[in-house]
Amino acid sequence: MFNREHLTLAAVMVLLLLAGCARQDTPEQRVRTFIDRVAASAEARAWNDFDAYLAEDFSDGRGLTRREALAVVARYILAHRSIHVFQRVRQIEVRDPRHARAVVLAAFAGSPVDEPKDLARIDADLYRFELELADEGDGFRVRSAAWQPVGLEALLTAD
C-alpha cells in the first residue's frame, strides 16, 4: 500500500508544513526576537547595527533625538571592552500587529551573566527600559524609549 517513497514524500510534506507554520511568528514573538537581536548587537559591540533599530522619528523622555541616542549607544559600546547583556522581558503589550510596547530589564556587565544572582558578585549597569515599537514593514524599530537605572532587586524579582 505505502512504499518507502510514499512515506518519504509524506514525511517531507509534514516537515514543510511544520516549517511553514513556524514562520508565522506572533507579534509577541517578533518583539522578543527584536529585543534579542538588539542585545546580541550590544554584546557584539556592533554599534552601527543600532541605526536599524531606531525609527527615523525616534524620541525619548529626556528629549534625545535619534542622532543623539545613537551617539549615546556608540559611546557606551566604545567605552566598554566587553559587554554581556542579561535581560528579562517584563511585559509585552501588542496593540496591533504593527505596534507594541515592551518593558525590559537589562544588566550590562563586563563578564558573562547566566542568572540574576550572578549580578550580586560583579559590577553591572542595570536599567529598566520602556519601549514603544512600530513595525515599519521590515521589522520592528524603537519609536520612543524611556529608561532609568534600577537596583538588583528589580532583576531578582522579575518574572
Side-chain angles (χ1 to χ4, degrees):
M1 181 167 163
F2 287 106
N3 63 28
R4 182 178 225 141
E5 289 176 3
H6 287 108
L7 290 175
T8 302
L9 181 60
V12 169
M13 297 287 280
V14 168
L15 289 174
L16 288 174
L17 179 63
L18 289 174
C21 291
R23 283 190 209 119
Q24 297 175 356
D25 292 337
T26 66
E28 182 175 326
Q29 289 169 325
R30 289 176 46 238
V31 169
R32 286 183 187 280
T33 299
F34 172 78
I35 292 168
D36 289 342
R37 214 171 48 240
V38 171
S41 290
E43 288 184 337
R45 300 180 73 244
W47 60 272
N48 284 327
D49 289 357
F50 286 81
D51 187 54
Y53 300 147
L54 299 185
E56 289 298 324
D57 61 348
F58 171 86
S59 65
D60 82 342
R62 297 179 177 143
L64 290 180
T65 65
R66 180 179 191 276
R67 174 178 265 173
E68 291 166 334
L70 289 170
V72 168
V73 169
R75 279 194 304 271
Y76 188 89
I77 289 173
L78 292 172
H80 296 84
R81 192 175 357 176
S82 177
I83 299 174
H84 296 272
V85 180
F86 180 83
Q87 66 183 2
R88 289 284 170 99
V89 176
R90 286 290 293 245
Q91 178 184 14
I92 295 176
E93 176 187 335
V94 177
R95 297 188 173 144
D96 61 58
R98 295 180 48 100
H99 297 91
R101 178 181 175 274
V103 176
V104 180
L105 299 175
F108 301 93
S111 57
V113 179
D114 294 320
E115 53 187 285
K117 69 179 183 179
D118 292 345
L119 294 167
R121 63 175 174 74
I122 61 174
D123 186 29
D125 298 321
L126 297 108
Y127 293 95
R128 180 179 195 272
F129 294 91
E130 292 185 32
L131 308 171
E132 294 291 332
L133 305 171
D135 185 342
E136 297 184 351
D138 57 350
F140 280 107
R141 294 195 193 317
V142 179
R143 292 205 57 212
S144 68
W147 63 86
Q148 63 186 22
V150 295
L152 180 58
E153 66 281 352
L155 275 164
L156 293 175
T157 59
D159 299 329

